[in-house]
Amino acid sequence: MKNLTLLPILAGTFVLAACNSHSPNLKAPASAKVETVTAADADVFVAEVNQEIRDHYVEDAAAQWVAATYITVDTGVLEAKSSERSLIRLKNAIDASKRFDGVAGISAETARGIEMLKRQSAMPTPNDPADLAEMATLASKLGAAYGSGKYCTDPNDPETCRNLNQLSEVLAENRDWDADLEAWQGWHTVGRGMRANYQRFAELLNEGARDTGYADAGQAWRSGYDMDPADLRSETDRLWGQVKPLYSQLQCYVRGKLDEEYPGKMPGDGTIPAHITGNMWAQDWSALYPLVQPYPGVTGVDVTAALKEQKYTPEKMVRSAEDFYQSLGMPALPATFYERSLLVRPRDRDVVCHASAWDINLEGDVRIKMCITPTEEDFRTIYHELGHIYYYLAYTNLPPLFQTGAHDGFHEAIGDTVQLNLTPAYLHQIGLAGTPKDNEKALINAQMQLALEKIAFLPFGKLIDEWRWGVFDGTITPENYNAAWWQLRQKYQGISAPIPRSEEDFDPGAKYHVPANTPYMRYFLAHILQFQFQRSLCEAAGFQGPLNDCSIYGNKQAGEKFWAMLGKGGSQPWPKTLKELTGSEQMDASAIIDYFAPLNAWLEKQNAGKDCGWQG
């Protein structure tokens, strides 16, 4: 649970969960019944809200946990009813908080508490009880539809059915154009059945946003960043402008290699067909590394092979990540973490395997939910998920309203920052790699491998919410849901649909965070922040050298500064928290450019004379 209403945090995201907030009958404190409302009344109100969160949190979290780890009709009902009750509690609390608007003398802490209360839900609550109940039910149905989604070549024969993991393996491991197309097309059929439910769900989200005082749900989402909602758009545009040249160089180079692999099949508009990127959503191109490796024969680190050779179990992989955080001076994970987490896909039931981190009781019952396999991707994902877990543990002593990230991008950036420290030297130190090769070719290879994950993601991280904001404000209408989706994919990513798509399809539903109603801009911001964090932590560690060569493993000075930032949670505006770590109140992508400077120079040479860029 990343914050009080968005329980689990995923490998990259939150799962929508119950709005684990306040009692359905939360009333104004007795002192507020008098005609004059005072600052003292506001203090009492916030204290009551914090207590109500604690009173209901475990029940709501348990309903969400069971619904994700035992997908049945019954657990879906429990989840929906829990969510409905929580939404009512949240709505009542937010409504009650409006009495304190404009009251003089309210302390900074209490004012912050009221502000954080108003930011609680990604599902703004409609006033109409029937609409609220419908919204909660639709949220549960959409999540279950994704979690249980399968593609069957013969709908009457379960043996022909494949789940997302199995279809994703085809894309990652197979370079056959047609086999990849079948797997891609198969999974994208899952979204079709969500279309009508999502349209209605979006209508209810907007109704709730308007009832809460926002123009639409997108404005409500953008209001959670300690800035005017309109300013967030310009801020993300500014950050994208800093990194777009690097992404464009990467896209151009990769497209050229794919053109060599699939002669005569690539479109003429400069785009890359989505199904040949090695990833179901073309958000991570890591699987293409053997095809695009700058210097074949210059061996790099093969973490997957090492994990399998050394017989790493899921628990051993998690304990390796735990060791990294402990080396910085952070505490050991509680014993209940290993007793209660889900680390392996069960054989007897459907579960939502999308990796997520959970805080079940705001007091240390932390868990991850993940179907771990011995691969480098899962190894790195575990380090990311534990970033959320250690954030929970760091701010566990704060009032519940402050038990969240400085902003949601912070929560995602913590584990991503740690991932940047999994350098060849670190992997050698823990026995998963040989002695690092200190040469330029090995460096360019390593940077390419990381860029296929980190840089390739950036435009995708931005466009998901660009699409939803358009849905919410009406500039994207239901009859254009899918067309607008692909227009944005082409505009930002230079990615195109491999086969014609229509409004019979609902391709946004094939991405977890859309049916789960998880705001996504946090991941774009996290990819910016993680490099900014890393640069500052390396400075704190006294590291001298290129940023891409730094690992803070074992450095208590950097760990102390990191832990101090985590401990602030959401108790103060994020620019202040950012400044305490980095010295700046502004998010800045220049650290990405610094980090990938060697690769960027190499790409520019490789692409010289090529017709880079794409239509859209």
Side-chain angles (χ1 to χ4, degrees):
M1 301 184 298
K2 173 179 185 251
N3 69 20
L4 306 172
T5 62
L6 301 170
L7 295 181
I9 300 192
L10 309 174
T13 105
F14 301 27
V15 172
L16 171 70
C19 301
N20 305 299
S21 309
H22 327 291
S23 157
N25 299 313
L26 183 67
K27 299 177 181 178
S31 58
K33 294 179 181 178
V34 299
E35 185 174 351
T36 301
V37 180
T38 68
D41 296 329
D43 293 340
V44 172
F45 171 79
V46 169
E48 288 184 350
V49 167
N50 278 314
Q51 187 56 51
E52 292 293 347
I53 293 171
R54 292 193 183 278
D55 290 345
H56 293 276
Y57 196 88
V58 173
E59 178 184 353
D60 292 337
Q64 294 298 315
W65 175 262
V66 172
T69 57
Y70 292 81
I71 298 177
T72 68
V73 172
D74 296 325
T75 58
V77 170
L78 293 174
E79 175 192 35
K81 299 307 291 185
S82 170
S83 180
E84 181 183 345
R85 290 192 299 270
S86 296
L87 287 168
I88 293 171
R89 292 194 296 270
L90 178 60
K91 172 180 166 41
N92 289 345
I94 291 175
D95 287 347
S97 74
K98 294 175 183 177
R99 297 176 298 114
F100 303 105
D101 293 348
V103 173
I106 293 180
S107 69
E109 181 175 353
T110 293
R112 181 70 176 173
I114 292 173
E115 173 63 25
M116 298 304 288
L117 167 65
K118 293 177 179 178
R119 296 181 187 179
Q120 280 298 296
S121 182
M123 285 204 306
T125 310
N127 288 334
D128 187 307
D131 287 349
L132 187 153
E134 182 185 4
M135 184 168 72
T137 299
L138 287 172
S140 181
K141 285 182 177 179
L142 287 166
Y146 186 95
S148 60
K150 293 181 177 65
Y151 165 61
C152 307
T153 53
D154 181 353
N156 298 315
D157 182 3
E159 295 297 320
T160 69
C161 296
R162 288 178 288 175
N163 60 32
L164 176 59
N165 282 8
Q166 293 166 321
L167 294 168
S168 293
E169 285 178 7
V170 175
L171 299 185
E173 299 174 3
N174 196 330
R175 300 277 70 83
D176 182 271
W177 180 283
D178 293 332
D180 288 348
L181 180 59
E182 182 194 11
W184 184 93
Q185 188 174 3
W187 178 251
H188 281 73
T189 62
V190 170
R192 285 188 168 196
M194 302 177 190
R195 186 183 180 100
N197 281 343
Y198 187 82
Q199 180 180 340
R200 178 59 179 157
F201 184 65
E203 292 170 356
L204 293 168
L205 284 175
N206 272 344
E207 179 185 332
R210 289 190 295 269
D211 289 346
T212 310
Y214 297 102
D216 58 66
Q219 187 187 69
W221 287 7
R222 293 190 299 275
S223 70
Y225 289 91
D226 294 308
M227 64 175 67
D228 187 281
D231 291 341
L232 182 65
R233 282 185 182 271
S234 58
E235 180 70 354
T236 56
D237 287 343
R238 179 185 67 80
L239 294 168
W240 170 239
Q242 286 185 277
V243 297
K244 183 180 178 181
L246 174 57
Y247 175 80
S248 297
Q249 290 292 333
L250 180 66
Q251 195 268 4
C252 184
Y253 173 78
V254 170
R255 190 187 187 285
K257 290 295 184 180
L258 290 170
D259 196 28
E260 295 173 8
E261 179 75 7
Y262 305 105
K265 290 190 174 184
M266 297 292 283
D269 59 3
T271 62
I272 298 172
H275 73 297
I276 58 170
T277 61
N279 176 268
M280 190 63 74
W281 309 280
Q283 70 178 66
D284 183 330
W285 304 348
S286 300
L288 296 181
Y289 178 70
L291 182 66
V292 305
Q293 184 179 13
Y295 296 104
V298 179
T299 57
V301 177
D302 190 341
V303 174
T304 297
L307 292 170
K308 292 179 179 178
E309 181 181 347
Q310 298 182 34
K311 294 181 169 47
Y312 265 67
T313 64
E315 181 176 331
K316 187 176 181 181
M317 291 168 70
V318 176
R319 290 193 182 277
S320 177
E322 179 187 14
D323 170 70
F324 187 100
Y325 288 88
Q326 282 191 271
S327 81
L328 303 179
M330 299 183 190
L333 294 172
T336 54
F337 172 87
Y338 289 99
E339 296 166 2
R340 300 171 185 176
S341 290
L342 186 149
L343 303 180
V344 180
R345 178 188 284 273
R347 296 182 179 180
D348 61 342
R349 65 186 191 271
D350 287 328
V351 301
V352 178
C353 267
H354 197 108
S356 55
W358 299 62
D359 184 348
I360 298 294
N361 67 353
L362 304 178
E363 296 177 350
D365 183 356
V366 291
R367 311 172 188 179
I368 63 172
K369 173 187 62 60
M370 182 178 174
C371 303
I372 298 172
T373 57
T375 64
E376 179 176 7
E377 180 181 3
D378 280 7
F379 186 73
R380 293 174 61 82
T381 296
I382 293 165
Y383 281 69
H384 169 91
E385 294 305 327
L386 288 198
H388 295 303
I389 295 297
Y390 276 96
Y391 214 160
Y392 301 148
L393 295 175
Y395 59 52
T396 193
N397 292 323
L398 292 177
L401 284 171
F402 295 157
Q403 289 200 32
T404 187
H407 69 51
D408 52 14
F410 275 66
H411 230 301
E412 297 302 327
I414 303 309
D416 285 351
T417 301
V418 170
Q419 285 182 340
L420 294 177
N421 292 274
L422 306 188
T423 60
Y426 165 74
L427 294 170
H428 171 66
Q429 195 170 352
I430 64 172
L432 287 177
T435 303
K437 293 181 172 61
D438 186 17
N439 65 70
E440 183 180 358
K441 291 182 178 180
L443 171 62
I444 297 301
N445 277 353
Q447 289 227 310
M448 175 63 75
Q449 196 164 12
L450 188 62
L452 293 172
E453 174 195 351
K454 299 289 187 181
I455 304 305
F457 175 83
L458 289 166
F460 185 80
K462 188 174 190 298
L463 73 86
I464 295 284
D465 279 355
E466 292 278 353
W467 181 82
R468 282 190 289 198
W469 293 348
V471 169
F472 295 146
D473 68 21
T475 56
I476 296 175
T477 57
E479 57 267 24
N480 291 304
Y481 274 176
N482 222 46
W485 173 258
W486 284 106
Q487 287 165 5
L488 288 168
R489 299 290 303 273
Q490 187 155 331
K491 172 185 175 181
Y492 283 107
Q493 288 183 284
I495 294 291
S496 56
I499 55 175
R501 309 303 284 165
S502 74
E503 294 306 323
E504 292 294 315
D505 301 303
F506 184 59
D507 294 330
K511 177 60 180 172
Y512 172 85
H513 303 76
V514 174
N517 196 45
T518 303
Y520 209 76
M521 195 59 73
R522 63 190 62 167
Y523 302 109
F524 173 75
L525 296 176
H527 274 64
I528 302 297
L529 286 169
Q530 62 191 262
F531 290 91
Q532 191 173 359
F533 289 171
Q534 177 72 354
R535 183 163 60 188
S536 295
L537 291 170
C538 290
E539 290 171 357
F543 178 79
Q544 300 291 324
L547 182 58
N548 55 70
D549 203 31
C550 172
S551 178
I552 62 169
Y553 179 64
N555 191 283
K556 298 296 193 296
Q557 290 78 18
E560 183 179 358
K561 198 167 187 179
F562 208 7
W563 186 251
M565 183 186 77
L566 301 184
K568 294 295 176 62
S571 64
Q572 61 188 21
W574 67 262
K576 183 176 181 181
T577 301
L578 181 64
K579 186 174 183 178
E580 290 172 359
L581 179 67
T582 70
S584 172
E585 292 186 346
Q586 186 177 57
M587 292 182 284
D588 178 21
S590 66
I592 296 179
I593 308 306
D594 290 348
Y595 189 98
F596 286 103
L599 178 66
N600 192 41
W602 185 87
L603 286 171
E604 288 176 348
K605 291 180 181 178
Q606 299 302 309
N607 293 332
K610 291 184 180 180
D611 184 16
C612 292
W614 56 87
Q615 296 175 17

